[in-house]
Amino acid sequence: MSEIRMPLLGEKAPEFTAKTTHGVIHFPDDFKGKWVVLFSHPADFTPVCTTEFVAFQKRFEEFEKLNVQLVGLSIDQVFSHIKWVEWIREKLGVEIKFPIIADDTGEIAKKYGMIHPGKGTNTVRAVFVIDPNGILRAVLYYPQEIGRNMDEILRLVKALQTSDKYGVALPANWPNNELIDGKAIIPPASDEKTAKERLEKAKKKEIECFDWWFCYKSI
């Protein structure tokens, strides 16, 4: 337990060198300039994990368009990964194009808090979204029994990129929010002058507001 620590949002992603199905990688340096979705799965040749890998691969091009590198991981050896990828290709007709890390010593899983003490030594279904500067921006953590929603992971990356680009916050279910649709929330005013200016801008139809502390705009 003392050796396992989940990195915090805003921290530099823990570095490591590892064997993968695509050869040795130096993480995250090898992917500098790209967004990375690093995700762990409990084990190869398991039903839920197989459905997840197929689902990730089906969206591989969508992730690529967002400048995202997918990277899988489990504590299985690289030989097991290779055989499993072959099985997926031969039996399901899906070619897995992203690398899978062989963390057979569990050292990487410990660095990223991917092992839950109550679930033995297998890695849980963790997802780490890392930006092009190697900074951890989001973490999703699922139990072994429940498969992930890849469309939500895509939405999360798109939202982070949009927030960074426009300096805005994004509402629940963006871009299909029940109150403001696909519009973005302007950061709240931090002083009286700005609060007053917000309402003036709303009157001029430059932005929209429910009140000075809840203003939004199209992006």
Side-chain angles (χ1 to χ4, degrees):
M1 282 288 287
S2 61
E3 298 178 3
I4 300 174
R5 175 189 178 271
M6 182 178 289
L8 302 176
L9 300 186
E11 289 185 347
K12 188 79 174 177
E15 298 177 355
F16 60 83
T17 297
K19 291 180 181 179
T20 80
T21 51
H22 290 188
V24 174
I25 63 170
H26 306 282
F27 193 91
D29 291 348
D30 284 355
F31 306 110
K32 190 171 183 179
K34 281 181 167 285
W35 288 78
V36 177
V37 171
L38 172 65
F39 63 96
S40 57
H41 64 281
D44 298 345
F45 294 100
T46 54
V48 177
C49 298
T50 301
T51 64
E52 289 190 317
F53 268 62
V54 170
F56 269 123
Q57 183 55 49
K58 291 290 187 180
R59 292 159 180 78
F60 183 80
E61 291 184 1
E62 292 182 71
F63 280 108
E64 273 199 324
K65 289 176 183 176
L66 294 173
N67 191 33
V68 174
Q69 173 66 56
L70 294 172
V71 182
L73 177 148
S74 83
I75 58 173
D76 295 292
Q77 294 186 354
V78 72
F79 310 107
S80 175
H81 288 337
I82 292 171
K83 189 64 180 176
W84 186 36
V85 166
E86 288 178 352
W87 187 95
I88 293 173
R89 181 177 64 248
E90 293 170 1
K91 301 294 185 181
L92 305 178
V94 176
E95 182 80 32
I96 302 300
K97 296 181 180 179
F98 50 84
I100 311 169
I101 294 168
D103 185 28
D104 49 322
T105 65
E107 289 305 309
I108 300 168
K110 289 177 183 177
K111 285 186 177 182
Y112 278 81
M114 296 175 175
I115 296 177
H116 190 292
K119 290 293 184 179
T121 58
N122 283 353
T123 45
V124 296
R125 302 184 197 284
V127 179
F128 299 86
V129 180
I130 300 162
D131 72 18
N133 296 313
I135 303 301
L136 181 62
R137 300 294 300 278
V139 177
L140 302 173
Y141 207 72
Y142 293 73
Q144 289 185 8
E145 299 81 7
I146 307 300
R148 285 163 280 212
N149 185 321
M150 284 56 188
D151 292 329
E152 168 58 17
I153 297 171
L154 273 169
R155 188 195 77 92
L156 174 59
V157 174
K158 290 177 184 176
L160 286 168
Q161 293 179 353
T162 301
S163 177
D164 286 356
K165 182 177 180 179
Y166 295 101
V168 295
L170 296 170
N173 298 323
W174 180 86
N176 300 303
N177 178 258
E178 291 80 358
L179 292 175
I180 62 175
D181 299 318
K183 296 173 183 177
I185 296 170
I186 303 169
S190 57
D191 56 69
E192 292 182 356
K193 180 175 180 292
T194 305
K196 185 176 180 180
E197 289 173 349
R198 289 278 170 84
L199 294 178
E200 290 299 321
K201 287 183 178 180
K203 287 180 181 178
K204 296 176 182 178
K205 306 296 184 182
E206 294 176 8
I207 59 175
E208 298 176 77
C209 296
F210 289 115
D211 206 331
W212 64 266
W213 54 271
F214 192 163
C215 295
Y216 55 98
K217 63 180 182 179
S218 298
I219 52 175

